[in-house]
Amino acid sequence: MVKRPRSFRRLLLLRILLLTFPILLIGQAMTLRKARSSLLETARQNLTSSAVRKAEELEQDVQTVQSDLMLLSETQALQTGNVETLRTALDRYTLTVPYDVSCMEVRSGAGMIAMTTCDEPLLSSEGVLPWQQTLGDPAFYLVSLTTTDQDKPPSLEGLPIILTVAAPVYDADQQLRYTVTVRVRLFQLQDTNPRSLVGNTVVIDADDRLMVHPDPDLVGQSIDDLPAADRLNNILSSIRNGSENTLHLFNFMEPGDEWLAGYSGARVPITPDEAETWNVLAVTPLYQALHALEDIRQVLILLTLGLLAANALLALYVARSLSLPVERLIRYGQRVQDISKLESAPRNPSVWELDYLGQVLERMLRRLQASSQELRQAWKDAQFANQTKTEFLANTSHELRTPLNGIINSIRLVRNGDCDSREEELEFLEQADQASIHLLKIINDILDIAKIEAGTLSVNLAAIDVRDVLDQVLDLQALQIRQKGLTLERPALSEPVLVQADPHKLKQVLLNVIYNAVKFTKQGSITVEIRKESDPVAHDSVVAAAEPGGASRPVTVASPRVRIVIRDTGIGIAQKQQHKLFRPFVMVDGSRTRSYEGTGLGLAISKNLMELMGGTIRLESEGKNKGAVVTLTLPLLVQPAEDAAPNGLADGAVDGAVDGAVDGAVDNASTAAFSTPAARRS
């Protein structure tokens, strides 16, 4: 008896269920495991980043306290003012600083309290500050740090770190006038959201003492007294070695619990020349890091049940009409011989998946058709690029050969004694020298464009006066301008215009631009303007600029820009040719460029140099024979104005203070204005 074959529907249903059910279960388990690993890895990375960010904020807060206190100690109100002026200056300091000032104390040079807002003295009678022994050492001192403040209750923002800092105030004779002591409160935010990966904050000082902890009762204790002391000591050891990572903590808050801790070190200044490392941790319970795992598990269960039901329905309702549409699609694919004569794919409205498969197959073939057109276009573009490079090499070889022939011929004439006089020999040598300089400029342009394409070109940013660089460039071009009979209009500025730029690279850009203006202008004038323009949505950032002697002055790195406009009455550029500007190896007009000499790399190099210096370059022309306007923009450095002088000071003292602040800011702009990583570009 021949065994009857099973029906397609039953066979399809059984095989789908037998194959998919175990696979779905295994897939669910693997997905949950992978999700758990991914969530843990995400939590580790976020906690490490959070710890680094918290440490940086703590460093910045302490540095801000240091800078503000040192600036306060250098004010005229403290150095020369009376007690009432002193009180006014301290009140203004309390209102303007971005942190909470708990109380302040001012002692005279003899150690007597001149003014205080504290309930108890901040300085003990036994302690001796460094400057009380040696004048001028140091200008800042961290007296003590605590985590409790009897004057004020804890804030809702979290448990604060209480710092007591002191700074000396010297009079005009460099004698100790006052000692200013301030107690400030620095807050570390605590985030207890179950889905948050910022974590709670734990801060451990250099003596392994808890300064901030999720459990306020543990603050002030040594980590050796905690159940998780071994793990915490491992973290402190890693921080001392300069590591930033994440570690699991066991029995951190309660017996049996597990926490994730990201950690980083914060270098906190104790004096201007000394700092110590505080240990900053971002911690969160393990169940909070895996809070989303339960949602993923529920979604996977629902997805598994849905897939099983869908597979059964697919086997029951689609098996009968599955084979014929597939065969139609196969025949459709076999009929496609010429992709340029593509027909519509057969449709099957009764089965959406197969109908959609036909549409996808047709779209795929049409994308292949479009891709073939794109390949043909890319081939044309490659041919154009190859032709452009060939033209560039031909033009460059001509530009190299012309001065080289001049050098060779001039030297041979002098060497062979064909000159009639010493003056003629010097004339030929001068021609060889000029040709050598021209040849060197071409080679430098080629090397610069090679560095730009390789990404190795760099700039050294500094604070410079645009007027000086521009005067040097205009002086270099003055002779050629006079020889061509052109009129040069220079900018007339009496005040310095400080910008953030590389002086050598800026000079190179200005030489390229003004050289082009002179080269392409037969008659008329060349006008150079310098404008200062403000950005209404930008804001100023202040950094400290070190001065000789250990003092510091504020330098404002402002967002306003400087615009250098070079306008000529030369041959101009047609509108349809302006899209070729600033592209290497592409010349606006080969024949015109050849008649005026040059490789066509100047604008491309200038554009990249300006972008590296944080600026821009733009060329505009109304058309042929209508001249051109080149606009360069660079960040403007603005000097901050000094605070108004207190009552009782003479006008001359105010003027002297303002002049000193401006001179200090200008002298140190090149080193201090770009001391931060965000401002450094090389």
Side-chain angles (χ1 to χ4, degrees):
M1 182 178 179
V2 180
K3 185 178 180 180
R4 182 181 178 182
R6 295 180 180 180
S7 65
F8 180 74
R9 298 181 186 179
R10 180 179 299 178
L11 185 62
L12 182 61
L13 178 62
L14 291 176
R15 290 186 178 180
I16 288 177
L17 292 178
L18 289 176
L19 290 175
T20 57
F21 188 71
I23 292 176
L24 288 175
L25 292 179
I26 295 174
Q28 181 178 2
M30 294 179 63
T31 302
L32 287 174
R33 183 175 179 181
K34 182 63 177 177
R36 188 179 189 277
S37 301
S38 299
L39 290 175
L40 282 177
E41 183 62 26
T42 301
R44 293 189 185 103
Q45 294 178 1
N46 286 337
L47 287 174
T48 301
S49 300
S50 177
V52 172
R53 186 168 61 254
K54 291 173 185 291
E56 291 174 350
E57 291 176 354
L58 182 57
E59 290 178 359
Q60 293 173 0
D61 289 343
V62 178
Q63 290 172 359
T64 300
V65 174
Q66 173 188 0
S67 300
D68 292 343
L69 189 58
M70 292 173 68
L71 289 175
L72 177 64
S73 66
E74 294 177 359
T75 59
Q76 293 291 335
L78 271 69
Q79 293 178 353
T80 61
N82 53 28
V83 175
E84 196 60 36
T85 304
L86 176 66
R87 186 181 302 276
T88 302
L90 295 180
D91 291 341
R92 184 168 59 250
Y93 165 80
T94 304
L95 294 175
T96 56
V97 294
Y99 42 83
D100 184 14
V101 178
S102 179
C103 66
M104 305 180 66
E105 178 182 282
V106 179
R107 291 176 179 261
S108 64
M112 303 300 295
I113 296 178
M115 194 198 74
T116 181
T117 60
C118 304
D119 295 337
E120 58 184 16
L122 295 182
L123 297 177
S124 64
S125 57
E126 298 145 1
V128 178
L129 297 175
W131 53 81
Q132 293 176 341
Q133 297 177 339
T134 304
L135 291 180
D137 293 332
F140 171 82
Y141 189 75
L142 178 62
V143 179
S144 65
L145 61 96
T146 61
T147 54
T148 58
D149 191 354
Q150 298 177 357
D151 297 337
K152 296 184 180 181
S155 171
L156 295 177
E157 296 180 350
L159 193 64
I161 299 176
I162 311 301
L163 299 180
T164 302
V165 293
V169 179
Y170 298 102
D171 56 17
D173 298 328
Q174 295 300 311
Q175 297 298 317
L176 182 63
R177 179 179 176 85
Y178 294 116
T179 295
V180 180
T181 309
V182 181
R183 175 179 290 174
V184 299
R185 295 154 53 95
L186 305 179
F187 292 95
Q188 295 291 317
L189 297 179
Q190 305 290 339
D191 194 341
T192 57
N193 190 336
R195 293 184 178 273
S196 173
L197 293 179
V198 175
N200 300 73
T201 303
V202 175
V203 180
I204 305 172
D205 64 9
D207 297 327
D208 299 345
R209 193 164 50 101
L210 288 172
M211 302 168 60
V212 177
H213 194 275
D215 185 358
D217 296 334
L218 297 179
V219 173
Q221 295 187 16
S222 173
I223 63 170
D224 294 331
D225 299 332
L226 302 180
D230 293 339
R231 290 274 178 161
L232 290 174
N233 283 317
N234 290 337
I235 289 177
L236 300 189
S237 177
S238 299
I239 292 176
R240 294 188 187 100
N241 293 330
S243 298
E244 298 171 349
N245 210 327
T246 307
L247 190 66
H248 288 248
L249 298 178
F250 302 98
N251 304 321
F252 182 67
M253 294 284 288
E254 298 177 357
D257 63 355
E258 183 176 356
W259 289 58
L260 284 177
Y263 55 86
S264 179
R267 291 290 294 170
V268 178
I270 306 303
T271 68
D273 301 324
E274 183 181 359
E276 65 180 18
T277 301
W278 292 359
N279 310 281
V280 181
L281 284 67
V283 299
T284 188
L286 184 63
Y287 70 85
Q288 288 191 7
L290 301 176
H291 188 272
L293 191 62
E294 185 62 29
D295 296 338
I296 297 175
R297 182 181 291 108
Q298 294 178 2
V299 171
L300 286 177
I301 292 175
L302 294 177
L303 182 62
T304 301
L305 296 176
L307 287 175
L308 287 174
N311 287 332
L313 292 175
L314 179 66
L316 290 173
Y317 296 103
V318 181
R320 183 183 62 179
S321 57
L322 189 61
S323 299
L324 183 60
V326 173
E327 293 175 358
R328 290 177 181 173
L329 291 176
I330 292 174
R331 290 195 294 270
Y332 168 73
Q334 291 175 343
R335 288 197 305 269
V336 177
Q337 299 296 331
D338 187 358
I339 199 170
S340 62
K341 301 177 180 178
L342 192 62
E343 300 177 357
S344 299
R347 303 298 174 86
N348 185 9
S350 60
V351 181
W352 178 86
E353 288 83 355
L354 293 176
D355 185 66
Y356 186 69
L357 179 61
Q359 298 178 27
V360 170
L361 181 59
E362 182 179 348
R363 286 201 298 267
M364 181 186 67
L365 293 174
R366 295 194 183 279
R367 284 197 298 269
L368 289 175
Q369 182 182 12
S371 298
S372 64
Q373 295 176 353
E374 292 177 358
L375 286 175
R376 286 193 292 269
Q377 183 62 37
W379 172 251
K380 293 180 181 178
D381 293 342
Q383 287 181 324
F384 174 75
N386 185 47
Q387 180 182 358
T388 301
K389 291 249 181 172
T390 301
E391 293 177 356
F392 169 76
L393 292 176
N395 292 334
T396 303
S397 63
H398 174 77
E399 290 292 332
L400 293 173
R401 186 170 57 251
T402 299
L404 190 57
N405 286 335
I407 295 171
I408 294 173
N409 293 333
S410 298
I411 293 176
R412 285 181 176 177
L413 287 173
V414 176
R415 183 194 63 184
N416 296 334
D418 296 333
C419 299
D420 296 334
S421 62
R422 178 59 178 170
E423 288 75 11
E424 188 174 1
E425 289 181 355
L426 293 177
E427 181 179 355
F428 281 117
L429 291 177
E430 177 66 21
Q431 293 177 3
D433 181 69
Q434 294 178 357
S436 300
I437 295 174
H438 180 65
L439 182 62
L440 179 62
K441 180 182 181 300
I442 296 174
I443 295 174
N444 286 336
D445 286 347
I446 296 174
L447 292 177
D448 285 345
I449 204 67
K451 290 181 180 180
I452 290 171
E453 290 193 341
T456 58
L457 188 64
S458 62
V459 296
N460 296 318
L461 299 181
I464 61 175
D465 191 346
V466 171
R467 303 179 306 166
D468 297 339
V469 180
L470 191 58
D471 287 342
Q472 296 176 16
V473 174
L474 293 177
D475 291 341
L476 290 175
Q477 297 294 326
L479 177 61
Q480 187 177 1
I481 292 174
R482 288 197 301 269
Q483 289 176 348
K484 296 189 70 173
L486 303 177
T487 301
L488 174 63
E489 297 183 10
R490 292 172 175 253
L493 293 177
S494 59
E495 298 180 354
V497 182
L498 298 181
V499 298
Q500 170 189 349
D502 186 322
H504 302 292
K505 297 296 188 292
L506 179 58
K507 183 176 180 180
Q508 180 180 352
V509 173
L510 290 172
L511 278 173
N512 280 332
V513 174
I514 297 178
Y515 175 78
N516 285 340
V518 176
K519 179 172 66 174
F520 294 111
T521 303
K522 295 182 179 179
Q523 60 182 358
S525 63
I526 296 174
T527 304
V528 182
E529 301 176 0
I530 299 179
R531 305 172 185 169
K532 298 180 182 179
E533 299 183 0
S534 300
D535 185 353
V537 299
H539 60 277
D540 295 345
S541 59
V542 179
V543 297
E547 292 184 350
S552 64
R553 310 296 289 174
V555 175
T556 302
V557 182
S559 58
R561 315 283 286 180
V562 172
R563 294 187 183 274
I564 307 172
V565 182
I566 297 95
R567 183 180 291 104
D568 64 67
T569 59
I571 61 176
I573 302 173
Q575 295 286 340
K576 63 180 180 179
Q577 298 291 339
Q578 293 185 16
H579 69 281
K580 298 180 180 180
L581 297 173
F582 304 108
R583 294 172 56 187
F585 312 115
V586 178
M587 300 181 183
V588 173
D589 190 331
S591 61
R592 179 177 298 171
T593 305
R594 296 297 301 125
S595 63
Y596 282 93
E597 78 179 13
T599 60
L601 296 177
L603 287 179
I605 295 173
S606 299
K607 177 178 181 293
N608 283 273
L609 291 178
M610 291 300 296
E611 291 177 351
L612 286 174
M613 293 186 290
T616 61
I617 182 172
R618 185 177 72 253
L619 190 149
E620 299 174 342
S621 177
E622 296 181 359
K624 187 176 179 181
N625 297 324
K626 293 185 178 181
V629 179
V630 179
T631 304
L632 310 177
T633 63
L634 285 169
L636 172 66
L637 301 183
V638 180
Q639 300 173 0
E642 290 288 332
D643 293 338
N647 295 332
L649 288 181
D651 293 339
V654 176
D655 295 339
V658 174
D659 294 339
V662 173
D663 294 339
V666 173
D667 292 339
N668 297 281
S670 60
T671 57
F674 312 108
S675 59
T676 60
R680 225 168 12 240
R681 290 182 173 264
S682 62

